[in-house]
């Protein structure tokens, strides 16, 4: 009888613990398992974000407890969801991010999945100079007459087609170039600027403009220099002669030229010569997730999907149904009326693009080259109008007088000025007034950097292609003729 006691106790214990994970097979029964699963639908692996906010999307969800970790910090947990759900308004850190989701099912099973993504601009283009980030280092090429390459000297308006690495700064996570200026955001939130400074656009407390050297007789220029007083920047954008900076608390500061109110500080004494060589606060803005800057206007996107614009309104830049003189002042940000649900914005010289959450794109402002994508190249538009033929965009980009949309399938549509191969398609007309042709040879792009007359695309494998006007070596290919237009994208090689 003693030999039967262990089996009796085992039987009684099993029957009294129906939720036990002990396999029934020990008693000759059939094992019962409930599979747990989910998918991270957004952000996607390797995605590059350019807004300071994202939504975590979960699909094919099993019921259970979901814990969300961003860069090892627990953000939140969600209980009992099934099929699909979202966790909204998460804030990325500068540069590389890792998002991890841990599901503990109702049966106690644990499943973990993660994705890596990037927040910041890895490539950018100015008037005729270009910049790229690789592993926190900045690589540059092109025009350097104002020291915009950051090498600390200039030999005048010479060609610099060889891509070189800047050794004076490191840990850089985002770049913004425009005209003759350059800006970098460091991983610690500091801002660095270099290039032209006659309007105080470097934010260094002065308007000193160094002399320009000549070939064989270089002149000292301002190297990348930290802008005083900013330690929590997450994004920056250069206009022609001014810059706007988004801080981690959702507020915005600016510096540089302020002749039409483009700094947004509500200065009551603005004149045609007003500048601020030190950062000033843009008034009335909170919960901002993206900033952009054009010729003499600035714009911001907030977490509610609303767009605010200030500064120049000569071409209907404000999007409020009015058009002003070239010298009219708008120094307080104003919401673009009737435009909601926006998730990304971009601008060229004097036009603005707004991508809505449904994948459509709206545009307003200057339209002389068809850059609004409306099927014409007529007068400026002072209210947002829907761009033709785009219903599945995931990001928008612009520069000069051309526009681009990155579509959900990874292809890129361009429209606007194309006289110098600006759109990366040799079959395109000199001016393309609506999206109808893709950038040639680019099946799947991750991000773009668009300048005045040239542009670049970063592919998922980290390779970079460029197209457009190669003035002063801006495409970074020493084997190409200076001032030659590359109408088909060409591959870049980095040292």
């Amino acid at each position: 009888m003693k030999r039967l006691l262990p089996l009796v106790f085992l039987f009684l214990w099993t029957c009294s613990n129906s939720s036990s994970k002990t396999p029934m097979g020990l008693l000759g029964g059939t094992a019962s398992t409930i599979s747990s699963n989910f998918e991270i639908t957004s952000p996607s692996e390797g995605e590059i974000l350019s807004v300071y906010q994202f939504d975590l999307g979960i699909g094919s969800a099993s019921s259970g407890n979901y814990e969300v970790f961003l860069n090892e910090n627990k953000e939140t947990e969600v209980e009992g969801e099934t099929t699909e759900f979202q966790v909204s308004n998460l804030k990325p850190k500068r540069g590389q991010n890792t998002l991890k989701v841990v599901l503990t099912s109702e049966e106690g099973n644990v499943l973990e999945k993660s994705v890596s993504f990037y927040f910041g601009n890895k490539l950018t283009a100015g008037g005729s100079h270009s910049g790229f980030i690789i592993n926190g280092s900045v690589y540059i090429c092109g025009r350097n007459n104002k020291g915009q390459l950051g090498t600390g000297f200039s030999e005048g308006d010479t060609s610099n087609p060889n891509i070189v690495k800047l050794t004076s700064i490191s840990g850089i996570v985002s770049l913004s170039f425009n005209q003759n200026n350059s800006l970098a955001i460091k991983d610690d939130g500091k801002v660095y600027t270099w290039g032209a400074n006659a309007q105080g656009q470097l934010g260094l407390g002065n308007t000193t403009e160094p002399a320009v050297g000549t070939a064989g007789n270089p002149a000292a220029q301002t190297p990348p220099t930290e802008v005083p007083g900013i330690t929590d920047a997450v994004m920056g954008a250069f206009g022609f002669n001014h810059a706007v900076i988004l801080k981690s608390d959702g507020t915005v500061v600016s510096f540089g030229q302020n002749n039409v109110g483009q700094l947004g500080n509500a200065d009551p004494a603005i004149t045609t010569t007003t500048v601020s060589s030190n950062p000033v606060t843009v008034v009335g803005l909170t919960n901002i997730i993206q900033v952009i800057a054009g010729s003499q206007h600035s714009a911001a996107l907030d977490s509610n999907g609303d767009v605010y614009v200030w500064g120049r309104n000569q071409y209907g830049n404000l999007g409020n149904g009015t058009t002003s003189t070239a010298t009219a002042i708008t120094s307080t940000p104003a919401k673009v009326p009737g435009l909601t649900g926006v998730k990304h914005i971009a601008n060229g010289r004097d036009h603005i693009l707004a991508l809505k959450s449904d994948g459509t794109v709206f545009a307003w402002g200057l339209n002389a080259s068809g850059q609004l994508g409306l099927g014409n190249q007529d007068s400026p538009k002072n209210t947002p109008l829907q761009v033709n033929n785009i219903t599945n965009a995931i990001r928008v980009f612009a520069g000069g007088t051309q526009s681009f949309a990155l579509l959900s399938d990874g292809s890129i549509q361009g429209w606007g000025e194309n006289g110098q191969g600006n759109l990366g398609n040799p079959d395109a007309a000199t001016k393309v007034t609506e999206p109808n042709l893709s950038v040639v040879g680019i099946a799947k792009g991750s991000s773009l950097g668009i300048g005045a007359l040239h542009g670049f695309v970063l592919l998922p494998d980290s390779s970079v292609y460029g197209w457009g006007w190669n003035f002063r070596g801006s495409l970074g290919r020493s084997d190409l003729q200076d001032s030659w237009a590359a109408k088909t994208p060409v591959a870049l090689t980095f040292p």
Side-chain angles (χ1 to χ4, degrees):
M1 186 67 182
K2 291 181 179 180
R3 300 176 62 183
L4 295 176
L5 285 175
L7 291 176
V8 172
F9 287 136
L10 176 61
F11 176 78
L12 293 173
W13 178 83
T14 303
C15 291
S16 64
N17 289 272
S18 59
S19 62
S20 168
K21 298 178 187 176
T22 303
M24 287 295 289
L26 290 176
L27 299 178
T30 302
S32 177
T33 60
I34 299 177
S35 61
S36 299
N37 191 34
F38 70 92
E39 298 294 334
I40 299 176
T41 57
S42 66
S44 59
E45 179 65 32
E47 186 174 351
I48 299 178
L49 304 180
S50 56
V51 295
Y52 186 52
Q53 178 176 286
F54 70 96
D55 297 334
L56 163 64
I58 298 292
S60 304
S62 301
S63 182
N65 178 262
Y66 289 83
E67 296 177 281
V68 179
F69 297 85
L70 182 58
N71 304 312
E72 300 303 323
N73 296 317
K74 185 174 179 177
E75 295 289 325
T76 188
E77 60 181 83
V78 180
E79 183 74 37
E81 295 287 350
T82 59
T83 309
E84 62 182 32
F85 63 92
Q86 276 193 340
V87 177
S88 300
N89 303 333
L90 296 173
K91 297 293 187 184
K93 73 173 184 179
R94 308 169 191 90
Q96 197 67 42
N97 288 257
T98 299
L99 180 68
K100 180 174 68 176
V101 180
V102 179
L103 165 62
T104 302
S105 71
E106 294 175 346
E107 297 74 38
N109 300 317
V110 177
L111 179 62
E112 176 183 310
K113 293 188 177 182
S114 63
V115 295
S116 294
F117 63 93
Y118 193 91
F119 167 55
N121 294 323
K122 283 189 170 184
L123 65 172
T124 186
S128 297
H129 69 299
S130 312
F132 318 89
I133 296 176
I134 301 176
N135 297 324
S137 295
V138 177
Y139 293 77
I140 44 83
C141 62
R143 196 177 194 183
N144 193 39
N145 59 318
K146 299 289 186 178
Q148 57 265 53
L149 294 189
T151 56
F153 68 88
S154 171
E155 289 189 306
D157 204 1
T158 55
S159 180
N160 298 279
N162 294 307
I163 299 175
V164 298
K165 177 181 177 180
L166 285 182
T167 59
S168 58
I169 52 175
S170 60
I172 301 303
V173 294
S174 191
L175 293 172
S176 176
F177 291 3
N178 203 337
Q179 284 303 100
N180 299 318
N181 283 104
S182 307
L183 180 152
I185 305 293
K186 193 174 168 67
D187 53 13
D188 60 4
K190 295 179 180 178
V191 179
Y192 290 78
T193 58
W194 59 99
N197 193 41
Q199 303 295 326
Q201 63 261 50
L202 298 187
L204 303 179
N206 62 68
T207 55
T208 302
E209 183 85 344
V212 175
T214 58
N217 185 27
Q221 296 286 330
T222 304
T225 304
E226 181 185 343
V227 176
I230 303 177
T231 58
D232 55 352
V234 293
M235 181 184 302
F238 247 124
F240 279 18
N241 291 307
H242 75 290
V244 289
I245 306 294
L246 173 61
K247 300 168 68 175
S248 61
D249 64 359
T251 62
V252 181
V253 298
S254 58
F255 44 87
Q257 188 176 29
N258 197 28
N259 60 310
V260 290
Q262 58 264 56
L263 297 191
N265 64 335
D267 182 353
I270 291 175
T271 70
T272 56
T273 60
T274 299
V275 303
S276 178
S277 59
N278 293 300
V280 296
T281 299
V282 178
V283 301
L285 295 182
T286 58
N287 300 317
I288 299 302
I289 60 174
Q290 188 189 358
V291 291
I292 56 176
S295 61
Q296 293 180 13
H297 71 261
S298 307
L301 172 67
D302 74 7
S303 58
N304 295 320
D306 295 323
V307 179
Y308 293 79
V309 189
W310 59 100
R312 187 178 190 175
N313 192 39
Q314 184 180 2
Y315 303 104
N317 311 50
L318 301 183
N320 63 3
T322 69
T323 302
S324 307
T325 66
T327 57
I329 297 167
T330 305
S331 60
T332 301
K335 184 189 297 187
V336 177
L339 184 66
T340 60
V342 176
K343 68 176 187 177
H344 191 221
I345 55 177
N347 65 202
R349 195 193 90 182
D350 281 292
H351 74 289
I352 298 177
L353 306 178
L355 167 64
K356 301 191 72 170
S357 55
D358 63 2
T360 59
V361 178
F362 284 72
W364 65 97
L366 187 64
N367 193 40
S369 298
Q371 59 264 51
L372 300 188
L374 306 175
N376 56 57
Q377 55 185 77
D378 57 9
S379 59
K381 307 302 178 185
N382 56 25
T383 58
L385 298 172
Q386 186 171 347
V387 173
N388 294 346
N389 307 330
I390 298 289
T391 58
N392 61 335
I394 58 174
R395 300 250 323 260
V396 286
F397 304 86
T401 54
Q402 64 268 352
S403 307
F404 293 87
L406 177 61
L407 307 184
S408 57
D409 64 1
S411 63
I412 303 163
Q413 290 273 312
W415 61 97
E417 177 61 42
N418 192 43
Q420 299 293 336
N422 318 43
L423 304 182
N425 190 312
D427 296 327
T430 301
K431 287 179 170 58
V432 176
T433 61
E434 64 181 356
N436 55 39
L437 290 173
S438 298
V439 176
V440 169
I442 306 300
K444 189 173 180 61
S446 294
S447 186
L448 280 73
I450 305 300
L453 294 166
H454 70 296
F456 299 95
V457 60
L458 175 67
L459 304 189
D461 64 2
S462 297
S463 60
V464 177
Y465 286 76
W467 63 87
W469 197 27
N470 189 39
F471 186 69
R472 299 296 185 253
S474 56
L475 291 184
R477 285 277 298 261
S478 59
D479 59 326
L480 299 181
Q481 180 181 342
D482 190 38
S483 298
W484 177 74
K487 295 188 176 182
T488 300
V490 295
L492 274 62
T493 302
F494 294 89

